[in-house]
């Protein structure tokens, strides 16, 4: 009688395992619609939140040790008493260390940041590079700790993306599931870094996923809330910037001034971004001309930053002390203008010099300085209809950051959450709208998308542009033995006429060729060395390429509107 019972037990186990496998497959393929996906979002949010917290604490510990200060929030003031040569030695050694790390571990010697996370969401099934990502996190920590003039949001966003990539690989997540988990990680990291749960969730959707689909909202909000809790367990419920008083519009006739402020901030944001790109191009050209090793470049950048920091220690690190002074109006007009110019130069040297860090925190500082300078002038011109100059600093901070990030919604909210001042919404919104409208005419929508465009990754133009590069010709072509194959003689005739495409090319290359040649198919061939006959691998048909492209567009639209 034991045998039937044993058989029954094994049947129960097999049934349970089969159900588990089906549930696991359902979670992988249709995760956002499953309740257990929310628990996974909770876990990823916790891990990403702690990663952001530890990164921030690591930067502060390194700054305190290298510069010998007790309060890193007042680093610029405390550093004034240091010997001048330390200002040069610390960032130079830090830069050389960064250079060696990136040269050895990061292809191209580049720091991975938000741009690569956006690319991962769009083109890499929600994944980013592991080794280069870890190297970038270490490089950014050293950069910020040793005095680089950049921010911490880029490194923590990429670090969170690494965590979600590991989870995606572990559970073999695909498509929308993988991308939504990436969004959860990013939201938690931003929230934990800035104590900004609303902006963290919207940043993940507006900047990284680039859509506001309902299926992504709930898990991303859960992860963002977890990140905020982690921040407040360590730092309490305080805002990043403490304002002396609440600011408010004195009269609504003051709104045109904020429209003008937005235009000024948009122009400054364009200058900031183009300065970074110009410095990167010039530095690379000089390095190649002089034959200097790649790893030396960040060290040179660090030395230049050190020379500037002797006279302007405000450029060291994320610059929150200077931003706070601007937001509270504790700065003269000339000082604000001068520090704006110096900070833009320092950010360009840091990022163009291939050191680490992000651009969000610098854009906050630059925006606050520009806004304060503008406000000091505006309130003097029309004092009877003007509010406080600090209101202009707050609006300027949001306007420059929004133009740089190309994210007006999440940036507007993060300004409120960073300061706790919700009474200034109208002024900030007006300035943000005009700054982003102006800046978008001179760049590819944002700093991050422009970075990708410079590497020929065309995400700024939307799915209709970048989806084509996801399909290799070899995966779409018809082989020679296909039932509807083109006659061999016709293929050779086209090849002899110089019409063919490489199997490793993408549909991004193939589609223009169809238009230029007015052909319905293209030979797919591998051309060997001189004297070797070409190898015909098949034919790429226009109708097959369009069918694959249309299917991808439909899937993308379904994900964005579900």
């Amino acid at each position: 009688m034991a045998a039937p019972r044993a058989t029954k037990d094994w049947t129960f186990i097999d049934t349970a395992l089969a159900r588990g496998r089906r549930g696991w497959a359902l979670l992988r393929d249709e995760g956002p619609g499953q309740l257990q996906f929310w628990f996974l979002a909770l876990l990823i949010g916790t891990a990403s939140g702690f990663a952001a917290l530890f990164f921030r604490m690591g930067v502060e510990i390194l700054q305190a040790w290298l510069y010998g200060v007790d309060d890193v929030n007042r680093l610029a003031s405390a550093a004034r008493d240091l010997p001048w040569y330390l200002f040069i030695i610390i960032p130079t050694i830090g830069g050389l260390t960064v250079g060696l790390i990136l040269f050895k571990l990061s292809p191209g010697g580049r720091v991975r940041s938000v741009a690569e996370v956006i690319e991962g969401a769009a083109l890499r099934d929600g994944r980013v590079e592991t080794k280069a990502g870890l190297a970038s996190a270490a490089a950014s920590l050293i950069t910020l700790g040793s005095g680089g003039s950049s921010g911490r949001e880029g490194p923590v966003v990429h670090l969170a993306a690494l965590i979600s990539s590991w989870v995606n690989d572990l559970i073999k997540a695909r498509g929308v599931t993988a991308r939504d988990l990436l969004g959860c990680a990013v939201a938690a990291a931003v929230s934990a870094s800035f104590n900004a749960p609303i902006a963290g969730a919207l940043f993940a959707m507006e900047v990284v996923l680039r859509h506001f689909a309902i299926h992504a909202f709930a898990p991303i909000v859960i992860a963002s809330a977890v990140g905020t809790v982690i921040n407040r367990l360590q730092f309490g419920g305080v805002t990043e910037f403490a304002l002396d008083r609440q600011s408010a519009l004195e009269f609504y006739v003051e709104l045109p001034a904020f429209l003008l402020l937005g235009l000024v901030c948009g122009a400054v944001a364009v200058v900031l971004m183009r300065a970074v790109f110009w410095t990167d191009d010039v530095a690379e050209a000089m390095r190649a001309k002089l034959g200097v090793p790649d790893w030396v470049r960040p060290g040179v950048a660090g030395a230049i930053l050190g020379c500037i920091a002797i006279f302007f220690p405000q450029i060291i690190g994320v610059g929150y002390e200077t931003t706070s002074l601007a937001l509270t109006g504790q700065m003269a007009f000339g000082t604000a203008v001068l520090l704006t110019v110096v900070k833009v130069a320092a950010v360009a040297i840091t990022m163009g010099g291939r050191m680490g860090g992000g651009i969000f925190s610098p854009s906050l500082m630059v925006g606050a300085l520009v806004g304060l300078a503008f406000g000091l002038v505006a309130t003097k011109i029309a004092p009877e209809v003007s509010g406080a100059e600090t209101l202009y600093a707050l609006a300027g901070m949001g306007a420059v950051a929004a133009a740089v990030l190309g994210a007006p919604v999440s940036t507007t909210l993060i300004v409120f959450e960073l300061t706790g001042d919700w009474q200034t919404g109208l002024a900030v919104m007006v300035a943000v709208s005009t700054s982003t409208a102006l800046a978008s005419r001179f760049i590819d929508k944002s700093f991050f998308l422009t970075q990708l465009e410079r590497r020929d990754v065309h995400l700024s133009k939307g799915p209709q542009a970048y989806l084509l590069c996801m399909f290799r010709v070899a995966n779409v072509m018809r082989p020679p033995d296909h039932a509807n194959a083109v006659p061999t003689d016709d293929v050779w005739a086209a090849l002899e006429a110089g019409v063919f495409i490489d199997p490793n090319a993408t549909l991004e290359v193939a589609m223009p060729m169809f238009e230029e040649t007015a052909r319905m198919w293209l030979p797919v061939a591998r051309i060997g060395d001189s004297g070797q006959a070409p190898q015909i691998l098949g034919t790429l048909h226009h109708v097959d390429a369009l069918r694959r492209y249309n299917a991808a567009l439909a899937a993308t639209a379904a994900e964005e509107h579900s």
Side-chain angles (χ1 to χ4, degrees), residues 97-454:
T97 306
V98 167
L100 288 171
I101 291 172
L102 296 178
F103 179 73
K104 294 290 185 181
L105 301 174
S106 180
R110 290 184 296 102
V111 168
R112 273 47 175 176
S113 189
V114 179
E116 286 71 26
V117 178
I118 297 172
E119 181 183 9
L123 303 178
R124 303 184 185 280
D125 222 9
R127 290 162 171 81
V128 296
E129 304 165 90
T130 299
K131 185 171 75 171
L134 291 173
S136 297
S140 296
L141 189 148
I142 294 170
T143 295
L144 291 167
S146 61
S149 195
S150 56
R152 64 173 182 262
E153 86 295 331
V156 300
V157 165
H158 198 278
L159 196 56
L162 272 178
I163 294 172
S164 70
S165 296
W166 292 336
V167 174
N168 284 332
D169 288 340
L170 179 65
I171 67 174
K172 296 181 173 58
R174 299 183 293 269
V176 62
T177 300
R179 284 186 284 274
D180 282 3
L181 287 177
L182 174 64
C184 292
V186 169
V190 172
S191 298
S193 188
F194 296 105
N195 188 18
I198 302 174
L202 292 180
F203 178 90
M205 301 180 77
E206 184 179 19
V207 176
V208 176
L209 298 183
R210 302 175 68 207
H211 65 68
F212 291 93
I214 293 177
H215 65 75
F217 186 76
I220 285 178
V221 167
I222 289 171
S224 185
V226 171
T228 302
V229 170
I230 290 170
N231 175 285
R232 294 181 181 180
L233 287 175
Q234 177 65 28
F235 301 107
V238 298
T239 58
E240 288 287 335
F241 302 110
L243 304 184
D244 290 340
R245 61 187 183 276
Q246 295 288 319
S247 303
L249 282 170
E250 190 67 23
F251 292 101
Y252 289 117
V253 294
E254 195 178 1
L255 281 177
F258 289 96
L259 285 170
L260 182 58
L261 171 63
L263 295 176
V264 172
C265 289
V268 171
V270 171
V271 170
L272 171 61
M273 291 182 279
R274 289 197 169 181
V276 172
F277 299 137
W278 180 83
T279 305
D280 184 69
D281 292 339
V282 170
E284 179 57 26
M286 291 181 63
R287 186 205 64 77
K289 183 177 181 180
L290 298 175
V292 177
D294 288 337
W295 60 269
V296 175
R297 180 171 167 180
V300 174
I304 298 173
L305 286 172
C307 293
I308 297 174
I310 293 174
F311 305 99
F312 300 99
Q314 295 92 336
I315 69 166
I316 298 174
V318 295
Y320 278 0
E321 179 184 359
T322 305
T323 305
S324 295
L325 292 175
L327 290 174
T328 52
Q330 301 179 55
M331 195 176 294
F333 172 81
T335 303
V337 173
L338 180 60
L339 286 179
T340 298
V341 175
V342 173
K343 182 64 175 180
V344 168
V347 174
I349 292 167
T350 301
M351 305 192 76
R354 299 283 175 89
M355 297 180 79
I359 199 170
F360 178 64
S361 295
S363 68
L364 292 178
M365 176 176 167
V366 170
L369 292 169
V370 171
L372 177 63
F374 186 96
L376 289 170
V377 173
T379 53
K380 289 291 188 295
I381 292 175
E384 66 279 0
V385 292
S386 297
E389 65 276 2
T390 54
L391 176 56
Y392 289 88
L394 187 65
M397 182 172 75
V400 172
V404 170
L405 270 64
V409 177
S410 53
T411 306
T412 299
L413 288 170
I414 203 170
V415 167
F416 298 149
E417 291 187 295
L418 286 174
T419 61
D421 190 346
W422 294 84
Q423 305 302 317
T424 57
L426 197 56
V428 175
M429 288 172 62
V430 166
V432 163
S433 64
T434 51
S435 69
T436 51
L438 176 64
S440 63
R441 293 179 175 271
F442 296 95
I443 59 167
D444 292 297
K445 295 187 178 179
S446 74
F447 177 78
F448 311 122
L449 294 177
T450 305
Q451 281 183 308
L452 294 173
E453 286 290 336
R454 283 164 55 86

